[in-house]
Amino acid sequence: MPKHVVVIGAVALGPKAACRFKRLDPEAHVTMIDQASRISYGGCGIPYYVSGEVSNIESLQATPYNVVRDPEFFLINKDVEALVETRAHAIDRAAHTVEIENLRTGERRTLKYDKLVLALGSKANRPPVEGMDLAGVTPVTNLDEAEFVQHAISAGEVSKAVIVGGGFIGLEMAVSLADMWGIDTTVVELADQIMPGFTSKSLSQMLRHDLEKNDVVVHTGEKVVRLEGENGKVARVITDKRTLDADLVILAAGVSPNTQLARDAGLELDPRGAIIVDTRMRTSDPDIFAGGDCVTIPNLVTGKPGFFPLGSMANRQGRVIGTNLADGDATFPGAVGSWAVKLFEGSASGAGLTVEGALREGYDAVNVHVEQFDRAHFYPEKTIMTLQLVVDRPTRRVLGIQGFSTLGDALTARINAVATMLASKPTVEDISNAEVVYSPPFASAMDIVNVAGNVADNVLAGRCRLVGTEEFVQLWEGRKDADICFVDTRLAANAVPLVEKYGDEWINIPEEELAARIDEIPRDKTVMLVCNTGLRSFESQLILDRLGLTNTKSVAGGMVAIHKIGGDI
């Protein structure tokens, strides 16, 4: 008898698993069900449809050859039966059956399976506050919700929007609304920074500055307490600090695994509610596989269970499941959590742990900040890229990387180079010596990735004593009460504006003149060395160390990083 596989969920993982299995076992029968009317779409593209950059919503559901992936497509092209507007109500593991309901007719029936795939996805977190059911409040997690938002905007019904949550979707939606439509947009984030858990506080400040420069208002450390409406439609967002007018509220406060069906079936779940699977993506029932946003897999940096609700992850896991449905032996060992987000002028990307996350995990971690041209300095088209490397001091192990740049493709190339190494526990030396493609239009001969490793080596060895950009700004703002001397080591022409503005508070001694002018540097104060990117200030620190003056700190990333976080210097 041909094998019958039932797949519950048909957005990302489900179709990938179904189609991979059918390629390997063409005689088998596959039934794929989903409660929505539209299936197999790129949900991560929704913000770009809302913005208008993707002009047609069918593009998110189409193949690269512009064929819409609807039930007819799956039946004709993949020999997969797709039942849309169909809900799975219960799994009987003993009988190997799934009870389903046709949502259009109300008809219920039972499907028999040999193997079952759970592609249940995730659900948007909804703050437990009054007003969540008002019209105009939506998480924008599917194509129907995306169409609602886009049509409301196009019809001129939205002039003010509030986004609850400062994660990936929240920031992408903020850019979509403010940049393309000119809507007054406010982001409210409960944590003390945007992108909590994904970026360091200093990198988060760069993202915030990018948003605020483009008229998006950002409130962090703020809690939504209720939504108020008029005539059944949202009109205001009330936080613990202010009242915000709103014609549209986007719920972007994270997601949780959508696993009630699995829980009811008695499958093993973790405390978060995600389905526990092995490396072959099997659940606690060997005849049931699961993947995507509804499962927990190992975090390959910490070795602990992780939750990675990413479309790319779901597709790769779907292929593994499809292979194993056909009696293969494919594995998915885990993930390091690579990510990227595009804002207005800049993009951010990362993988692994932030320094704050590493410290919470018990590592003795340090965050190394580098600013450098992404191409050869003499090449006419270039930009200064930010990279931060997170390193465990005693072991020299690299735990994470993140960055910010106006050229997102160049940035993600660097992040990808390190992300693929993180699972093998690379050291600082591995990053310093990583082979990176070189040609002046694409990179420097000593690429910024290698430089980040080199700087980390200098920091761990004590040769480079750094102060972070945010700390520097705070020290500068409190300079009247601090025993600190600020020395700009750039050439005089670069330092003139600040010398003229601040007089004796801002001393310019170029690196080349330090030895001759060392008597101008006080020995009874902390000396803060500043340059454009941090390179000259580090070299100046070495010169002063050699001359016996060791009371110095070099500002990580220099004036470039200070300006990127919006520092008012």
Side-chain angles (χ1 to χ4, degrees):
M1 288 285 291
K3 187 184 296 183
H4 183 208
V5 170
V6 174
V7 180
I8 303 175
V11 176
L13 180 136
K16 179 63 70 174
C19 294
R20 169 65 174 171
F21 172 57
K22 282 293 293 185
R23 291 190 189 103
L24 299 179
D25 191 350
E27 300 304 314
H29 180 58
V30 177
T31 303
M32 186 168 61
I33 69 174
D34 198 287
Q35 61 186 7
S37 60
R38 290 184 283 199
I39 58 176
S40 192
Y41 56 84
C44 296
I46 285 175
Y48 308 103
Y49 165 71
V50 171
S51 72
E53 294 169 90
V54 175
S55 59
N56 192 319
I57 200 165
E58 280 75 28
S59 298
L60 301 182
Q61 201 182 356
T63 69
Y65 310 104
N66 295 316
V67 179
V68 174
R69 295 186 294 258
D70 56 14
E72 185 178 16
F73 165 83
F74 279 102
L75 186 62
I76 294 173
N77 293 67
K78 307 295 182 180
D79 192 28
V80 170
E81 180 185 15
L83 306 178
V84 297
E85 297 181 88
T86 300
R87 177 175 296 149
H89 279 285
I91 300 167
D92 186 332
R93 290 166 52 197
H96 276 57
T97 61
V98 179
E99 181 186 354
I100 64 173
E101 176 190 3
N102 184 315
L103 298 177
R104 287 171 292 186
T105 66
E107 176 191 0
R108 292 202 179 203
R109 62 189 176 101
T110 298
L111 291 178
K112 184 82 174 175
Y113 68 82
D114 294 298
K115 299 289 183 182
L116 178 64
V117 178
L118 301 181
L120 304 174
S122 58
K123 56 187 177 182
N125 294 335
R126 298 173 65 89
V129 300
E130 177 186 349
M132 283 290 153
D133 296 327
L134 289 166
V137 180
T138 175
V140 201
T141 54
N142 59 48
L143 298 188
D144 292 340
E145 292 167 351
E147 277 190 321
F148 160 75
V149 170
Q150 220 269 358
H151 291 166
I153 294 170
S154 300
E157 298 172 3
V158 180
S159 61
K160 295 181 182 295
V162 173
I163 297 172
V164 181
F168 298 113
I169 298 299
L171 300 191
E172 289 170 347
M173 289 301 301
V175 174
S176 297
L177 299 176
D179 187 32
M180 305 302 291
W181 296 99
I183 294 169
D184 289 343
T185 304
T186 300
V187 175
V188 179
E189 168 57 50
L190 180 62
D192 63 357
Q193 66 170 77
I194 56 175
M195 294 288 287
F198 289 95
T199 69
S200 66
K201 288 188 176 181
S202 58
L203 199 75
S204 171
Q205 190 60 36
M206 292 185 184
L207 275 66
R208 179 171 186 155
H209 185 55
D210 184 284
L211 292 168
E212 292 177 336
K213 278 195 303 182
N214 290 277
D215 300 322
V216 172
V217 178
V218 179
H219 298 303
T220 53
E222 196 154 331
K223 181 180 181 181
V224 173
V225 296
R226 70 178 182 280
L227 308 182
E228 294 181 349
E230 295 176 1
N231 301 316
K233 187 177 186 304
V234 71
R236 288 170 295 279
V237 175
I238 314 300
T239 77
D240 56 357
K241 296 180 181 177
R242 72 194 82 237
T243 296
L244 301 165
D245 292 334
D247 308 303
L248 173 69
V249 174
I250 304 294
L251 301 178
V255 298
S256 300
N258 183 31
T259 53
Q260 189 60 49
L261 187 68
R263 185 184 299 276
D264 293 342
L267 295 177
E268 188 176 356
L269 309 180
D270 74 354
R272 181 194 291 268
I275 302 170
I276 296 173
V277 294
D278 63 15
T279 57
R280 299 182 72 241
M281 307 307 295
R282 293 177 303 191
T283 70
S284 52
D285 184 325
D287 289 329
I288 302 178
F289 292 79
D293 294 7
C294 65
V295 305
T296 180
I297 59 175
N299 182 317
L300 295 177
V301 178
T302 66
K304 298 178 181 179
F307 181 59
F308 304 95
L310 299 167
S312 58
M313 202 82 65
N315 275 275
R316 298 200 304 276
Q317 291 172 356
R319 192 176 197 276
V320 169
I321 291 173
T323 298
N324 292 333
L325 289 169
D327 300 322
D329 192 26
T331 59
F332 195 90
V336 300
S338 303
W339 58 269
V341 62
K342 179 181 179 294
L343 300 182
F344 290 93
E345 299 164 22
S347 297
S349 182
L353 300 180
T354 64
V355 65
E356 294 86 358
L359 291 170
R360 285 194 299 270
E361 289 292 334
Y363 294 100
D364 180 9
V366 60
N367 192 45
V368 176
H369 186 135
V370 176
E371 298 282 348
Q372 180 179 300
F373 285 122
D374 62 342
R375 292 159 172 78
H377 67 276
F378 51 79
Y379 192 75
E381 297 177 8
K382 56 186 176 292
T383 188
I384 296 182
M385 179 184 292
T386 303
L387 274 191
Q388 294 184 354
L389 205 63
V390 181
V391 179
D392 182 44
R393 288 180 185 272
T395 64
R396 303 175 67 84
R397 179 187 170 193
V398 175
L399 304 171
I401 185 172
Q402 55 191 305
F404 182 81
S405 177
T406 56
L407 296 178
D409 290 348
L411 174 63
T412 54
R414 272 58 176 213
I415 301 301
N416 283 335
V418 176
T420 57
M421 302 169 66
L422 288 178
S424 59
K425 301 182 179 181
T427 64
V428 167
E429 287 73 22
D430 294 321
I431 305 302
S432 294
N433 297 316
E435 185 172 354
V436 180
V437 170
Y438 167 62
S439 179
F442 303 103
S444 299
M446 180 66 78
D447 189 75
I448 186 172
V449 168
N450 306 122
V451 170
N454 295 341
V455 173
D457 176 59
N458 288 327
V459 169
L460 295 181
R463 287 185 292 269
C464 182
R465 301 178 299 279
L466 294 174
V467 63
T469 49
E470 285 190 306
E471 183 182 353
F472 170 80
V473 171
Q474 292 170 0
L475 291 171
W476 173 251
E477 291 174 348
R479 63 190 179 278
K480 301 294 185 183
D481 303 317
D483 220 15
I484 297 176
C485 173
F486 297 88
V487 177
D488 190 331
T489 66
R490 295 177 294 176
L491 295 173
N494 301 116
V496 163
L498 292 178
V499 171
E500 291 180 346
K501 184 175 181 180
Y502 297 113
D504 293 340
E505 292 181 319
W506 192 271
I507 302 171
N508 174 224
I509 306 178
E511 175 191 346
E512 295 81 359
E513 301 176 17
L514 279 170
R517 298 173 58 184
I518 192 170
D519 290 342
E520 298 178 38
I521 301 175
R523 295 177 178 270
D524 58 346
K525 296 182 178 182
T526 299
V527 178
M528 205 67 60
L529 302 172
V530 191
C531 68
N532 198 44
T533 64
L535 176 58
R536 287 174 66 90
S537 61
F538 166 57
E539 291 176 339
S540 297
Q541 191 173 64
L542 294 178
I543 291 171
L544 294 174
D545 282 355
R546 191 170 66 248
L547 296 173
L549 200 157
T550 59
N551 56 328
T552 62
K553 295 280 189 179
S554 174
V555 179
M559 296 302 297
V560 169
I562 292 166
H563 291 150
K564 283 183 179 180
I565 69 169
D568 186 18
I569 302 290

